[in-house]
């Protein structure tokens, strides 16, 4: 795995990132790989925010994974800073290779570097394989999450 690079996402990476976001039953319902304009606009907003880290994992010249890490300063937990991991996706041909572990380890290490005292993430209730994966990496299902679609 020494040939793997984890780096900030660029506009040129967006087609591959969106394809990975759309490559599962949930993503197929909510992503639009045929219209990249909203994704490019979002990347521009995210790239200008120092608390947002949207990265890709690249092997050779090919984007094979992605995630977003958000650093959130807070008042609770004695003013602790936390991070939130979102949008974790691994290219179908790379699943089971250890790449997901490397990406999450990168996010945890970056969270420590940023002074975070807690790393959190959510995962759709239907993603039972992902739940087992996160638990193997030391995450615990300690809370119940809620969402409100706007």
């Amino acid at each position: 795995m020494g040939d793997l690079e984890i780096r900030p996402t660029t506009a040129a990476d967006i087609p591959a990132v969106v394809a990975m976001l759309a490559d599962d039953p949930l993503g197929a319902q909510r992503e639009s790989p045929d219209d990249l304009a909203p994704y490019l606009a979002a990347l521009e907003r995210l790239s200008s925010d120092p608390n947002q880290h949207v990265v890709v994992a690249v092997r050779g010249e090919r984007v094979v994974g992605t995630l977003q890490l958000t650093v959130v300063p807070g008042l609770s937990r004695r003013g602790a800073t936390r991070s939130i991991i979102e949008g974790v996706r691994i290219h179908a041909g790379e699943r089971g290779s250890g790449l997901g572990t490397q990406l999450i380890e990168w996010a945890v290490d970056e969270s420590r570097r940023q002074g975070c005292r807690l790393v959190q993430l959510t995962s759709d209730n239907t993603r039972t394989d992902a739940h087992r994966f996160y638990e193997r990496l030391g995450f615990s299902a300690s809370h119940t999450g809620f969402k409100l679609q706007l």
Side-chain angles (χ1 to χ4, degrees), residues 28-115:
Q29 297 173 25
R30 59 186 177 208
E31 305 301 342
S32 300
D34 296 333
D35 180 11
L36 298 179
Y39 301 97
L40 291 165
L43 180 62
E44 190 172 322
R45 284 192 318 274
L46 292 162
S47 297
S48 67
D49 183 338
N51 289 320
Q52 302 293 334
H53 308 275
V54 182
V55 298
V56 290
V58 179
R59 191 180 310 285
E61 298 294 316
R62 188 169 159 238
V63 173
V64 293
T66 187
L67 67 72
Q68 178 177 338
L69 180 71
T70 300
V71 176
V72 182
L75 287 175
S76 67
R77 296 178 182 251
R78 300 180 56 118
T81 299
R82 68 184 66 209
S83 65
I84 303 168
I85 299 172
E86 285 286 329
V88 179
R89 295 295 189 280
I90 303 300
H91 188 279
E94 294 277 337
R95 293 181 192 140
S97 71
L99 174 59
T101 298
Q102 286 183 282
L103 262 178
I104 296 298
E105 287 174 347
W106 175 90
V108 170
D109 289 345
E110 181 62 20
S111 297
R112 281 192 186 100
R113 196 181 76 69
Q114 296 275 336

Side-chain angles (χ1 to χ4, degrees), residues 96 101 128-140:
T101 298
T128 55
D129 289 342
H131 302 168
R132 283 191 296 275
F133 167 73
Y134 293 127
E135 288 171 348
R136 275 196 319 270
L137 294 176
F139 288 82
S140 63

